[in-house]
Amino acid sequence: MEPIQIPPVDLTLIAPLLTITAWAIVLLLVDAFLIPDERKKLTGYLALAGLAVTALVAVPLWNVDGSTFSDMVVLDRYSLTLTWLFLLIGGLTIAMALEYLPRHGIEQGEFYPLILFAVASMILLAQATDLIVIFLGIELLSLTLYILTGFAYPRVTSEEAGMKYLIMGAFAAGFFAYGIALIYGATGSTNLAAINAYLAAEPFVLSEQVLLLAGVGLLLITFGFKIALVPFHMWTPDVYEGAPTPVAAFMSVGTKAAALAVLLRILGSAFPLAYEFWLPVLSVLAAVTMLVGNLGALTQTNVKRMLAYSSISHAGYVLLGVIVATERGVEAFLFYMLAYALTNLGAFAVVIALEQRSESAWSLDDFSGLFQRQPFLAIAMAIFMFSLAGVPPTAGFIAKFYVFTAAYEGGLGWLALIGLLTSAIAVYFYLRVVLRMFTRDPGRPVEPAMDRGLHLNITLAAGLTLLIGLLPMPVVNLVERSLVALGL
Amino acid sequence: MVPTAYYILLSAALFAIGVLGVLVRRNALVVFMSVELMLNAANLAFVAFARERLSVDGQVLVFFVITVAAAEVAVGLALLVAIFRSKRTADVDEVSVLKG
C-alpha cells in the first residue's frame, strides 16, 4: 500500500463555507453564554448578519475556478449561484422564525445556529465532487433537520415528525453508504471525475456492470427519499405538518434544491456514460411524481398538507431540468429553484401569519374572505398561488416554461407533455385557495399575527416573484453563466 | 486468502437483514439497530474492496461512515427519549397522531 499523501489545500475556494461554519459555531457559544433568555431574537439578527457576510465573501470568487482537497471540493459558478440561493433561503427562513418561535413558546437560541449549519451543509453539497463528501454533506443537513423538525418540544406532533423523518433519513443513509461501497468496488474510486474517467477508459457493456448498476440504483433510491419523489414520498406530508412551519418551509425548498443540485453533478460528471440506465428510471419517477403530487394535493383541505403535496409535484418538474442533463436543463433547474424558493417561502410565510398558538389555522376555511379582513395578505397569497400554478406574469410561469422547453429540446417531449397536463390539474387546487379568499365570506375570525419580519418577508417574496416574472432577463443571464461542467 | 466475493456476499446478506429489520420491526430501538447493520454492511464492503485493490481509500471511508452513524444514533436516541417522556412507548406504530 502507498503511504498517505497530504494533499495541498487552498482555503480560499471554500471561503464561504468556512465563514458560515465558523460563524455558526461562534454564534452557538455566544448564544449560550452571553445572550440572556429574554433577548434570543438577537441571536436571530446575528445569524442574519452571518448569512449576509457569507454572501459578500462569495462575491470576489465569481471569477475563480478550481478544486482542492485532492479534487474532493470544487468551486465553480454553478456552486456559487447555488450558494447565494441557499443563503437567501436561510435568510427568509430566519426572518419567518423571528416572531414565530416566541409566539409558539418554543424560542430557543440554538434554532438560528442550526439553520446556519443546515445552510453550510447545503453549500458543501453544492461544492462536493466526491461521493464521500456528498455523504457527509447530506448527513450533516439531515442531522440538523431532524433536530429542527422535533424543535417544538413538547408538542407531540413535532416529536413524531422528527422521529419519522429520522427513521426515513437513516434508512436512506444506509442505502447511500452501501451504494457508495458498491460503486467504489466497481470503479476503485469515490471521486466523480475519476469514476467517469474509469468508465470512459475502456468500452463496456452496461448490463454486465452489475456492481456499478446496483450502486447507482441504491444512490437513486437515496435521492428519491431526500427529494421526496414518488414512491419514496410517504413521509413528506406528515413531516411538513408536524414540523414547526418555518422548518417545513426551509425543508420544502432547501433540502430539495441541495439534493437536486448534487444529483445533477453526480449524474453529469460521474455517470454520463451510464445514462441508458438512469435516464429511463428517473424519467418514470419524474412522471409519477408530477401525477401523484398534484392528485394528492387535490383532496387536501389542510393548507399545510396541500403545500407539502405541491412541493412533491414541483420536485417532479425540477427533476425534468436535471435529467435532460443539457446546458439548457441546468439553466432551467437553477431558474426554477430560485422562482420556487421565493414563491414557496412566501406562501409558507402567509400560513405562518394566520397561525395561532393554541390552534392551527391551516384549514382552507380559514382563508375564506381573507381579502376583506387582510387585503395585503390575500393579494400576496394570490400572487404565490398564481406563481405555483404557473400563471403569467409570475416567476413560476417563466420557470415552468423554461423547464418544459429544456425537456422538449433534450428529447424528453413526452415528459414535458405530462408536465403540462399535470400543471392544468394543479391550477384547480391553487385557484381554489384564491377564490375562497376573494369571494367567500369569512367563516370564523382568524386574527393574523403580522410583524415586521413576516411583513418584510412576504413583501420581498411577492415583489421578487412578480419582478422576475415581468423581467426575467437578469436572472436568465445569471443562470446562463452558472453552468456546471457536464461530462456529456 | 478468502476471495472478495465471499465478503461481499456476507455484507449483502447483512444489508438485506438490516433493510428487513427496518421494515418489519416496530420498536424504534430495534429499527435504529437495523440501520446500524445496514451501515456496517457498507463498511464491510468498503474494507473488502480496499483489500482487493490494495488501496487505503476504502478503509478511510469506513471512519467517516462510523462517525456519521454515531451522530445519527445520538440524535435519534434524544428524540426517542423526548417521545418516551410524553407517550411512554417506543413503538413506532403507537406514535401516529399524523396520518399520511
Side-chain angles (χ1 to χ4, degrees):
Chain A
M1 291 196 184
E2 328 154 10
I4 297 174
Q5 308 266 324
I6 304 292
V9 167
D10 183 358
L11 290 183
T12 49
L13 297 183
I14 55 163
L17 183 61
L18 283 180
T19 314
I20 191 165
T21 312
W23 197 287
I25 293 172
V26 172
L27 186 60
L28 205 54
L29 294 173
V30 168
D31 173 67
F33 294 111
L34 297 179
I35 297 180
D37 273 349
E38 66 278 5
R39 305 196 55 202
K40 288 299 179 197
K41 214 172 267 182
L42 189 58
T43 317
Y45 291 127
L46 286 174
L48 282 177
L51 294 172
V53 169
T54 311
L56 289 180
V57 166
V59 171
L61 299 174
W62 182 248
N63 286 317
V64 183
D65 232 342
S67 65
T68 181
F69 289 101
S70 59
D71 292 336
M72 284 185 148
V73 175
V74 73
L75 180 81
D76 49 18
R77 288 183 174 180
Y78 176 70
S79 65
L80 267 186
T81 305
L82 283 166
T83 300
W84 283 316
L85 174 65
F86 297 154
L87 293 170
L88 177 74
I89 294 173
L92 288 174
T93 308
I94 291 177
M96 270 188 241
L98 280 174
E99 292 295 332
Y100 176 92
L101 296 180
R103 185 147 35 98
H104 291 252
I106 50 169
E107 186 176 42
Q108 305 278 340
E110 64 265 25
F111 184 91
Y112 307 108
L114 279 173
I115 294 278
L116 291 193
F117 280 123
V119 173
S121 58
M122 281 151 62
I123 296 176
L124 179 65
L125 281 174
Q127 294 194 291
T129 49
D130 190 289
L131 286 176
I132 208 71
V133 179
I134 293 170
F135 178 68
L136 288 178
I138 286 191
E139 284 311 298
L140 183 58
L141 177 59
S142 304
L143 282 174
T144 46
L145 286 177
Y146 304 148
I147 304 172
L148 286 169
T149 307
F151 203 80
Y153 181 78
R155 202 174 76 202
V156 183
T157 48
S158 172
E159 301 302 312
E160 181 188 328
M163 195 61 167
K164 275 189 179 159
Y165 193 35
L166 181 119
I167 290 177
M168 276 302 159
F171 194 46
F175 281 103
F176 200 54
Y178 205 71
I180 299 175
L182 293 184
I183 291 169
Y184 172 71
T187 63
S189 176
T190 54
N191 187 288
L192 299 185
I195 291 171
N196 189 30
Y198 176 88
L199 294 179
E202 49 198 302
F204 64 97
V205 182
L206 196 58
S207 55
E208 286 172 9
Q209 299 275 335
V210 182
L211 275 183
L212 183 75
L213 289 187
V216 177
L218 289 175
L219 246 56
L220 294 186
I221 292 178
T222 316
F223 279 101
F225 274 117
K226 295 291 172 197
I227 308 167
L229 299 175
V230 178
F232 310 108
H233 69 293
M234 301 307 290
W235 55 273
T236 318
D238 281 3
V239 171
Y240 284 12
E241 189 188 343
T245 314
V247 177
F250 182 79
M251 282 198 290
S252 71
V253 289
T255 323
K256 278 184 213 289
L260 282 162
V262 77
L263 178 65
L264 195 154
R265 207 189 277 277
I266 291 178
L267 296 180
S269 51
F271 301 111
L273 296 170
Y275 78 95
E276 286 168 18
F277 171 64
W278 54 258
L279 186 62
V281 175
L282 286 176
S283 303
V284 172
L285 284 186
V288 181
T289 305
M290 290 187 283
L291 266 175
V292 175
N294 283 316
L295 291 177
L298 272 184
T299 56
Q300 298 300 324
T301 51
N302 176 328
V303 176
K304 218 173 164 187
R305 288 183 86 89
M306 189 202 93
L307 284 175
Y309 276 104
S310 127
S311 85
I312 294 174
S313 68
H314 281 277
Y317 297 129
V318 194
L319 194 60
L320 291 190
V322 172
I323 59 179
V324 292
T326 56
E327 288 188 355
R328 185 60 78 88
V330 180
E331 291 167 22
F333 158 66
L334 290 171
F335 190 100
Y336 201 108
M337 259 359 278
L338 175 68
Y340 175 65
L342 287 170
T343 311
N344 217 39
L345 287 172
F348 269 104
V350 174
V351 173
I352 287 178
L354 293 175
E355 199 173 330
Q356 308 296 306
R357 176 168 183 172
S358 49
E359 50 179 335
S360 43
W362 303 329
S363 156
L364 264 179
D365 292 332
D366 293 322
F367 282 81
S368 298
L370 187 66
F371 181 65
Q372 295 166 27
R373 287 176 289 138
Q374 287 283 327
F376 170 73
L377 276 183
I379 289 172
M381 190 66 174
I383 293 175
F384 299 136
M385 290 294 119
F386 282 132
S387 180
L388 285 175
V391 177
T394 54
F397 167 72
I398 313 267
K400 277 215 172 98
F401 182 74
Y402 218 142
V403 164
F404 293 154
T405 318
Y408 180 74
E409 285 175 1
L412 294 173
W414 65 279
L415 271 180
L417 188 66
I418 293 182
L420 277 176
L421 292 176
T422 51
S423 299
I425 303 177
V427 171
Y428 168 73
F429 60 82
Y430 290 127
L431 289 195
R432 191 171 55 177
V433 178
V434 177
L435 278 179
R436 271 178 186 255
M437 289 192 302
F438 285 88
T439 58
R440 293 274 188 95
D441 287 329
R444 63 193 179 105
V446 178
E447 197 53 47
M450 288 294 286
D451 57 72
R452 262 183 308 163
L454 271 181
H455 212 280
L456 183 76
N457 203 324
I458 295 173
T459 317
L460 193 73
L464 283 176
T465 304
L466 273 184
L467 190 68
I468 295 176
L470 292 168
L471 297 167
M473 279 330 278
V475 183
V476 172
N477 284 333
L478 177 72
V479 297
E480 275 177 352
R481 297 206 184 98
S482 313
L483 294 180
V484 62
L486 291 171
L488 282 169
Chain B
M1 187 179 145
V2 185
T4 312
Y6 289 12
Y7 288 110
I8 302 308
L9 284 177
L10 175 63
S11 87
L14 287 176
F15 185 76
I17 295 173
V19 172
L20 267 180
V22 175
L23 295 178
V24 175
R25 296 303 291 266
R26 299 282 46 123
N27 186 305
L29 280 174
V30 183
V31 171
F32 284 156
M33 283 155 64
S34 305
V35 168
E36 290 298 300
L37 203 55
M38 291 166 71
L39 289 172
N40 281 321
N43 286 343
L44 181 60
F46 270 128
V47 177
F49 284 129
R51 170 116 184 100
E52 185 195 9
R53 294 179 175 271
L54 294 181
S55 86
V56 198
D57 298 6
Q59 304 192 14
V60 177
L61 301 183
V62 171
F63 286 104
F64 288 102
V65 177
I66 291 176
T67 318
V68 165
E72 215 158 46
V73 167
V75 175
L77 288 182
L79 271 173
L80 197 60
V81 169
I83 287 186
F84 192 78
R85 272 192 196 149
S86 48
K87 300 211 67 155
R88 294 279 149 204
T89 179
D91 190 315
V92 282
D93 279 345
E94 286 178 33
V95 187
S96 54
V97 184
L98 304 164
K99 288 275 182 245

